[in-house]
Amino acid sequence: MEHSTDVTIIGSGIIGANISFELNKKGYRTINVDKLPASGYGSTSNSCACIRFSYSSWEGVAMAYEGAHYWKNWNDYIGTLDPRGMAQFFQTGVVFLRDKSSHFGKVKKLYDEVGVTYEIWDAEIIIKTFPSINLDSYWPVRRPEDPLFNQKSGKKIIEAIWNPDGGYINDPQLATHNLQVASEAKGGKFVFNREVVRILKNKDRVSGVELDDGTRINSPIVVNVAGPHSKIINKMAGVIEGMNVGTRALRHEVHHVPAPKGFNFEKNGKIMNDGDVGCYYRPAPGNAILVGSEDPECDQRQWIDDPDEFNRDVTEIQWNAQVMRLAKRFEQIGIPIRTKGVVDLYDVSDDWIPIYDKSDLEGFYMAIGTSGNQFKNASIAACMMTELIDNCENGVDHDQHPIQFKAAYTKKKLNIGFYSRKRELNKNSSFSVRG
């Protein structure tokens, strides 16, 4: 069986579905192919879906700040009501506690340059907002098996950056389905439970994909948005040798714990970045807290060779690390005996900054290295990818003359070349989920 379309998009996570929506708005016919049974079913479904701006580069901060406006205006942006309901943005704000690393000062400087709205909170305001919080510093971050794990540094956390515009999306999979419905309303098509097994080529140009049931989808444009499978797709396309920056899959756990006694974290809690104990956390339904790792140096990273084969169970060793770190900050948390949480894969680039780019194979594009810190940027990334594809297909040499994208809300000029596959590793990156 054969089908023809303008663009084949490999992947139907939040960014793949969003690229479909934007390309269809531009007049391109698209087909998304996903090996899973529904849109947003993979890593997207297990995202904490935090909307924050604390990146380590001007480009990262500016992109995230622009991206937040799409979530604030989600229903208007989508333009089509999803029968399943519409995802909601809970604008809790974000509290970024100051730690001993250089990240706090760097972020504050970038906020000033980009124009991000923020306040500096002193200890008094922090304690008033979170009455049960412990502001003792435990720097550097340690693991529970370290004899010095509970040792305080003798100093206090004295301030935090407060971003009122941040928050989280209540249902990342529903948000992805919203985008699917919006794309389908404009002519986009989605194929599920089918795996891409071959990238088709005609001389030096991509010509489509072949699926595991023998179906061929002929298209002069293919976009790799395969998340943790992105490296496999790039190998199929034969484009890895033309890249200075690659991607690989990283296993991550996020844990679910009850809020401190006497405090309604679900209602009054915030997104919190707490590098002093190596965690980030946000409110969750049932007056609970989702807690994830900020990838401190003492934590061993679990790189995965086969993204279809990895341990999907919460491990006791990482549960103890993350939950006990959180308990340093909120000592009244009752640590459950039974572990609870989600496990999934990040698609991580070598410098933890995504790749939004063309490739050396004409017509083959990539939106990869995004898992872990790019959910918030789905819509702005899709707009940038659409601009990139449309310009390159009309003769622009993006490698020589990087495309400058004008943001719709903040009016900032964003250099898409910053996310090039040919860039040198960005030494200003945090080399962690912080981005």
Side-chain angles (χ1 to χ4, degrees):
M1 184 181 297
E2 292 197 12
H3 301 282
S4 294
T5 190
D6 297 327
V7 185
T8 301
I9 301 169
I10 304 172
S12 297
I14 187 71
I15 296 180
N18 216 142
I19 290 174
S20 172
F21 178 42
E22 285 297 330
L23 283 170
N24 276 278
K25 285 163 63 176
K26 194 79 171 179
Y28 289 86
R29 297 175 303 140
T30 67
I31 297 178
N32 285 63
V33 179
D34 202 298
K35 66 190 297 185
L36 296 173
S39 59
Y41 201 84
S43 297
T44 292
S45 65
N46 289 324
S47 171
C48 284
C50 296
I51 311 302
R52 52 92 181 174
F53 321 114
S54 50
Y55 287 80
S56 55
S57 66
W58 185 96
E59 291 80 2
V61 173
M63 187 174 181
Y65 198 47
E66 171 72 14
H69 291 80
Y70 290 86
W71 294 111
K72 287 183 180 180
N73 300 281
W74 187 245
N75 288 10
D76 289 340
Y77 171 61
I78 294 296
T80 303
L81 288 178
D82 186 341
R84 296 186 186 177
M86 302 299 289
Q88 293 181 291
F89 174 35
F90 284 73
Q91 193 172 330
T92 61
V94 181
V95 177
F96 180 8
L97 298 176
R98 182 166 195 163
D99 57 44
K100 294 295 289 183
S101 73
S102 62
H103 197 57
F104 185 94
K106 183 188 297 184
V107 166
K108 182 178 178 297
K109 182 175 182 291
L110 290 170
Y111 283 178
D112 288 333
E113 293 176 3
V114 173
V116 175
T117 301
Y118 73 92
E119 298 174 10
I120 297 297
W121 282 5
D122 61 18
E124 183 178 352
I125 298 175
I126 299 170
I127 292 171
K128 184 178 179 180
T129 307
F130 308 101
S132 61
I133 198 168
N134 168 29
L135 291 182
D136 286 321
S137 171
Y138 292 87
W139 187 266
V141 182
R142 297 183 173 93
R143 294 193 60 81
E145 52 269 29
D146 188 327
L148 300 179
F149 177 73
N150 287 311
Q151 180 172 296
K152 301 174 183 179
S153 71
K155 297 183 178 180
K156 296 278 189 179
I157 292 174
I158 60 172
E159 62 181 348
I161 296 175
W162 158 246
N163 289 122
D165 295 322
Y168 67 95
I169 306 305
N170 68 325
D171 189 334
Q173 189 172 5
L174 178 60
T176 310
H177 192 263
N178 293 166
L179 288 162
Q180 178 188 338
V181 169
S183 175
E184 289 173 334
K186 295 189 177 299
K189 297 180 180 180
F190 288 74
V191 175
F192 298 108
N193 294 310
R194 285 291 173 261
E195 184 175 352
V196 172
V197 295
R198 189 156 69 99
I199 303 297
L200 305 176
K201 303 176 187 178
N202 182 5
K203 297 182 179 178
D204 294 329
R205 185 174 183 97
V206 73
S207 61
V209 301
E210 183 178 329
L211 308 184
D212 54 358
D213 65 349
T215 298
R216 292 168 64 103
I217 302 176
N218 300 311
S219 64
I221 302 170
V222 173
V223 188
N224 178 5
V225 203
H229 293 79
S230 68
K231 185 175 181 179
I232 294 172
I233 298 300
N234 278 349
K235 282 184 177 179
M236 285 185 197
V239 300
I240 288 180
E241 288 187 2
M243 301 171 64
N244 287 345
V245 182
T247 61
R248 51 181 174 166
L250 177 66
R251 182 183 178 277
H252 246 254
E253 300 185 16
V254 173
H255 302 131
H256 186 280
V257 296
K261 293 180 181 179
F263 184 72
N264 191 332
F265 204 87
E266 180 180 3
K267 181 181 179 181
N268 301 315
K270 318 291 182 188
I271 306 286
M272 299 189 73
N273 295 119
D274 190 351
D276 184 74
V277 296
C279 289
Y280 66 88
Y281 30 97
R282 77 157 176 84
N287 196 25
I289 299 175
L290 291 181
V291 54
S293 172
E294 289 198 343
D295 301 292
E297 292 184 5
C298 59
D299 283 8
Q300 184 176 359
R301 292 176 176 174
Q302 299 180 50
W303 300 105
I304 304 298
D305 293 326
D306 184 351
D308 293 318
E309 295 292 335
F310 65 97
N311 181 10
R312 295 179 180 271
D313 296 325
V314 171
T315 59
E316 186 174 351
I317 188 169
Q318 194 59 18
W319 164 269
N320 287 337
Q322 289 180 188
V323 176
M324 290 175 69
R325 285 167 179 163
L326 177 64
K328 291 180 178 181
R329 193 64 65 223
F330 294 98
E331 296 174 321
Q332 296 179 25
I333 281 180
I335 301 177
I337 297 175
R338 187 173 182 179
T339 61
K340 184 178 181 181
V342 295
V343 180
D344 222 312
L345 300 179
Y346 289 171
D347 179 33
V348 179
S349 78
D350 294 336
D351 58 6
W352 287 75
I353 294 171
I355 300 168
Y356 298 126
D357 201 5
K358 56 176 283 191
S359 73
D360 286 359
L361 175 63
E362 193 173 349
F364 186 86
Y365 298 86
M366 302 171 289
I368 60 177
T370 58
S371 297
N373 63 31
Q374 291 292 297
F375 176 95
K376 64 186 69 59
N377 288 339
S379 298
I380 178 61
C383 292
M384 287 168 55
M385 286 298 299
T386 298
E387 186 88 352
L388 171 72
I389 292 167
D390 196 51
N391 274 268
C392 290
E393 293 302 311
N394 283 284
V396 173
D397 186 341
H398 176 59
D399 287 339
Q400 294 298 318
H401 306 286
I403 296 162
Q404 308 298 306
F405 178 82
K406 185 175 181 180
Y409 292 98
T410 62
K411 309 304 180 184
K412 301 288 184 186
K413 278 194 175 181
L414 305 178
N415 177 18
I416 303 178
F418 178 79
Y419 302 98
S420 170
R421 73 201 183 280
K422 292 184 176 295
R423 68 178 182 259
E424 297 299 321
L425 293 187
N426 192 315
K427 295 179 181 179
N428 289 321
S429 173
S430 68
F431 289 91
S432 72
V433 71
R434 285 177 164 182

